[in-house]
Amino acid sequence: MTFRYVPVGPSASYAEDMYARRRRRYFLLMGGCLFLFVSAGAFVRIWSVPAAIALCVVALLIPPVAAIVGNTRDKDDRWWDEPPEGHENDENDRWLEELERRNRP
């Protein structure tokens, strides 16, 4: 899996900004997971083995949560096939026709 640089800011498009936010949340959670595993094995086990095991159990629960958080859209995110809000029906129909034209072979 390769990652490319996605600019965030005024020059970034809507989709790039949306994916950058999702990616940031995912990596933050996975970084916390790695921190828990490493600290449990390197430091915490010296003082308390049950606490180290508890940290590992918590760290095991983080990756599925990170996947869910990384793939969940925000309230203000548009879905790929959703017409823009606030437009009248004739504009929505034109938008859907354009989408169908793009998807035709």
Side-chain angles (χ1 to χ4, degrees), residues 3 9-10 16 18 27 36 41 44-45 52 60-61 69 71-72 84 87 92:
F3 294 101
E16 291 172 336
M18 177 183 65
F27 284 123
L36 288 175
V44 178
R45 69 176 171 82
L60 284 172
L61 298 175
V69 167
N71 290 310
T72 301
H87 296 277
N92 288 343

Side-chain angles (χ1 to χ4, degrees), residues 68-103:
I68 292 169
V69 167
N71 290 310
T72 301
R73 67 181 180 139
D74 292 333
K75 291 179 183 178
D76 60 339
D77 289 345
R78 292 190 313 256
W79 195 239
W80 69 276
D81 60 349
E82 198 173 87
E85 291 184 26
H87 296 277
E88 297 188 19
N89 288 337
D90 58 340
E91 289 184 31
N92 288 343
D93 292 338
R94 276 188 266 134
W95 187 86
L96 290 171
E97 288 172 7
E98 180 184 343
L99 182 66
E100 288 175 3
R101 256 186 277 124
R102 289 182 188 173
N103 291 333

Side-chain angles (χ1 to χ4, degrees), residues 1-24:
M1 177 184 272
T2 60
F3 294 101
R4 62 182 179 87
Y5 172 74
V6 178
V8 178
S11 64
S13 73
Y14 171 78
E16 291 172 336
D17 185 43
M18 177 183 65
Y19 290 125
R21 279 184 279 135
R22 290 181 186 182
R23 198 175 307 120
R24 202 174 305 124

